[in-house]
């Protein structure tokens, strides 16, 4: 049997998830969603997808097409904290590009980002930074979501304070 590394789900956990959704409509989606949710780094390692394909009888190509269709599935490990910068038109005109660049500085992300829709994770695994086209809160632009909490009318100074406070909490 293939060895599963520590940040990946064990086969017994996956077996339970697969049996839970067996025969249900949309079962594959449920299996993949739960497998990601239970993964400590909130992603779907290749081995996990291969195991799900083998045990559920769903072709691996079909599983990959589901995973790549929905933007909430991750194929790479995610940071402990997620910062989502809205890059829609309303947020853009109110300074979201500056917020995005400032966030990279705050998180010490130096690698060039040719496509800003591709998430970046800090080397220490603490933060993942991603963008979104619009979250439907345009009147509150610019908007940033940090660990699921929506921050409206975001400013550079406020962003710095929120990131610093997350770092401070981690020290205590
Ligand atoms: S453009 Fe940012 S919330 Fe709509």
């Amino acid at each position: 049997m293939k060895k599963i590394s520590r940040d990946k789900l064990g086969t017994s956990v996956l077996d339970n998830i697969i049996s839970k959704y067996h025969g249900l409509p949309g079962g594959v989606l449920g299996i993949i969603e739960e497998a990601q949710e239970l993964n400590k780094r909130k992603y779907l390692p290749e081995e996990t997808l291969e195991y799900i394909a083998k045990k559920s009888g769903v072709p691996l190509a079909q599983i990959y097409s589901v995973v790549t269709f929905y933007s909430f599935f991750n194929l790479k490990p995610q940071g402990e904290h997620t910062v989502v910068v809205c890059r829609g038109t309303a947020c853009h005109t109110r300074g979201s590009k500056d917020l995005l660049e400032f966030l990279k500085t705050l998180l010490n992300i130096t690698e060039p980002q040719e496509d800003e829709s591709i998430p970046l994770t800090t080397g220490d695994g603490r933060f993942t930074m991603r963008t979104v086209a619009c979250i439907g809160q345009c009147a509150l632009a610019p908007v940033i979501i940090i660990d699921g909490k929506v921050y409206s009318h975001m400013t550079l100074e406020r962003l710095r304070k929120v990131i610093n406070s997350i770092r401070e909490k981690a020290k205590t």
Side-chain angles (χ1 to χ4, degrees):
M1 186 185 295
K2 198 179 242 180
K3 194 167 177 270
I4 306 255
S5 66
R6 287 174 69 197
D7 69 333
K8 296 170 179 121
L9 296 182
T11 52
S12 62
V13 176
L14 288 171
D15 286 341
N16 284 339
I17 299 172
I18 292 163
S19 65
K20 189 169 143 185
Y21 290 93
H22 180 73
L24 294 178
V28 179
L29 192 60
I31 293 168
I32 303 169
E33 219 175 333
E34 196 161 332
Q36 176 169 289
E37 188 51 38
L38 291 177
N39 182 291
K40 276 188 193 151
R41 302 290 306 274
K42 302 286 182 246
Y43 82 113
L44 295 159
E46 200 182 323
E47 297 94 318
T48 296
L49 296 178
E50 284 170 359
Y51 190 82
I52 291 170
K54 194 172 112 193
K55 288 288 179 163
S56 66
V58 176
L60 186 58
Q62 192 180 325
I63 290 179
Y64 267 104
S65 72
V66 173
V67 170
T68 51
F69 181 79
Y70 294 103
S71 61
F72 54 82
F73 286 128
N74 307 308
L75 288 168
K76 288 187 178 169
Q78 301 299 291
E80 283 168 54
H81 303 280
T82 305
V83 184
V84 182
V85 179
C86 180
R87 291 288 290 129
T89 307
C91 288
H92 179 74
T93 55
R94 291 182 175 88
S96 69
K97 179 76 179 165
D98 288 345
L99 288 168
L100 187 65
E101 293 307 318
F102 187 58
L103 181 62
K104 285 183 201 167
T105 307
L106 286 173
L107 301 182
N108 300 317
I109 292 176
T110 52
E111 62 187 282
Q113 190 182 25
E114 280 166 26
D115 179 354
E116 58 177 46
S117 68
I118 297 173
L120 293 173
T121 298
T122 54
D124 59 6
R126 300 281 306 283
F127 292 91
T128 290
M129 182 194 90
R130 58 174 68 229
T131 60
V132 69
C134 175
I135 60 160
Q137 308 263 349
C138 303
L140 306 176
V143 177
I144 285 188
I145 304 172
I146 302 175
D147 292 335
K149 182 176 175 187
V150 176
Y151 292 84
S152 57
H153 306 299
M154 186 54 114
T155 62
L156 301 181
E157 183 53 23
R158 197 158 155 238
L159 179 58
R160 189 182 63 75
K161 280 186 182 160
V162 178
I163 297 296
N164 284 348
S165 102
I166 291 173
R167 286 193 169 123
E168 284 304 314
K169 271 187 203 147
K171 285 184 198 164
T172 57

